[in-house]
Amino acid sequence: MLDRLRPMTTLAWITFRGSLSGVRGPGLALGAFLPVLVVAGLLMYGITGLQLVDAYEVLVDSLFLPFVLLLVTLLLAVPLFREEIDRQSLSYLLTRTIQKPEIVLGKYLGYLGSAALVLLPPVAVCYGLVAGWGNPPAGILDGVLPALLASTFLGILAFGAFYLFLGLVVREALVVGLLYAFVWEFFIGGLTGIAPDLSIMHYLLSLTQFLVPHGPLSQYSTQLTLAQSVAGPLIFAVALLILTVVAFREHGFLPSER
């Protein structure tokens, strides 16, 4: 069993290091810390108390989750297959003893580590600034940190699986991924009725409504239950990983057009 896991864990580690190497790692980290810089600026400007808490939660709701999370996961997950396909180096992995499902899982696990390292610390730091230096009213931040950490990690799971699949089967995966992120997620999420249920972001924002009793994050309108808010991204991630394995086994891969 350990002999079977060793190639996959090695690939996960290589993927983790490669995803954050060069300028990509610092660049993504800087982008992920953008809300932290905004909150720090508000504190320096003298905004504290309830006004700061409201601004912070609106910032997370309108910038971090629907923009930073989508963009960082896109830039981390799409290249995992797409860059190797275009460099024609993916065939090297196929000549090793590691099986195709293990290649998919190894790359996905490496992505999860790098995405968590980039995206989760800014959530904690931003909350720490507001809670530690913003003089928030007592109890106003109850549930905020667990809700944001949970929503962010579920987003990492779901969007990463989708972008991994996209990088394998679509030549212009970055372009298609951007269209999905900033057209589909925004457009569907803004509709009424059951249409938002087709948007992963709807599930992530719904989760905060159940865990946060006060403030803008508690006011998101949803018909989902807490269980559905958690299960939706998880089921989506598992389904996309299965599709990725099937596509990798049955259909191969296409290099980008030059």
Side-chain angles (χ1 to χ4, degrees):
M1 184 65 178
L2 291 176
D3 290 339
R4 290 290 303 273
L5 290 177
R6 188 174 294 112
M8 187 174 71
T9 55
T10 300
L11 177 59
W13 173 244
I14 293 172
T15 301
F16 172 79
R17 290 191 307 170
S19 296
L20 301 177
S21 62
V23 299
R24 179 184 297 172
L28 291 176
L30 181 61
F33 269 88
L34 180 60
V36 177
L37 298 177
V38 174
V39 168
L42 293 174
L43 282 169
M44 293 176 63
Y45 193 69
I47 297 176
T48 59
L50 185 59
Q51 186 179 5
L52 177 66
V53 172
D54 287 346
Y56 158 65
E57 294 192 11
V58 169
L59 183 69
V60 170
D61 183 65
S62 61
L63 177 64
F64 184 79
L65 289 176
F67 179 77
V68 173
L69 174 62
L70 279 165
L71 189 60
V72 170
T73 52
L74 169 73
L75 295 177
L76 283 174
V78 162
L80 296 183
F81 275 118
R82 182 48 41 190
E83 287 186 352
E84 288 204 51
I85 292 171
D86 292 343
R87 290 197 306 260
Q88 299 183 348
S89 60
L90 187 58
S91 57
Y92 172 78
L93 278 177
L94 300 177
T95 64
R96 317 307 292 175
T97 57
I98 186 170
Q99 301 297 311
K100 287 183 177 180
E102 294 167 348
I103 292 175
V104 172
L105 289 177
K107 284 183 172 291
Y108 184 67
L109 290 174
Y111 151 81
L112 288 181
S114 61
L117 184 62
V118 170
L119 288 166
L120 294 182
V123 174
V125 172
C126 200
Y127 174 86
L129 287 176
V130 176
W133 287 275
N135 298 317
I140 196 68
L141 290 174
D142 288 350
V144 170
L145 183 59
L148 294 181
L149 289 173
S151 292
T152 301
F153 190 69
L154 287 172
I156 289 171
L157 291 172
F159 293 128
F162 175 73
Y163 291 138
L164 184 71
F165 172 75
L166 208 61
L168 178 67
V169 302
V170 179
R171 285 191 174 101
E172 301 301 330
L174 279 175
V175 175
V176 175
L178 285 171
L179 289 174
Y180 164 78
F182 301 116
V183 176
W184 179 268
E185 286 290 337
F186 274 96
F187 176 72
I188 292 296
L191 298 179
T192 58
I194 65 171
D197 293 350
L198 302 175
S199 162
I200 294 299
M201 190 58 59
H202 177 60
Y203 290 82
L204 305 183
L205 294 174
S206 296
L207 180 60
T208 65
Q209 190 267 344
F210 291 105
L211 300 180
V212 180
H214 311 288
L217 289 177
S218 68
Q219 298 170 5
Y220 184 77
S221 178
T222 181
Q223 295 181 347
L224 298 174
T225 65
L226 175 59
Q228 290 171 336
S229 300
V230 174
L234 293 177
I235 293 171
F236 182 80
V238 171
L240 264 295
L241 285 176
I242 293 172
L243 281 177
T244 304
V245 171
V246 171
F248 198 23
R249 275 180 165 175
E250 302 298 331
H251 303 294
F253 43 83
L254 296 172
S256 300
E257 295 179 347
R258 301 289 183 181

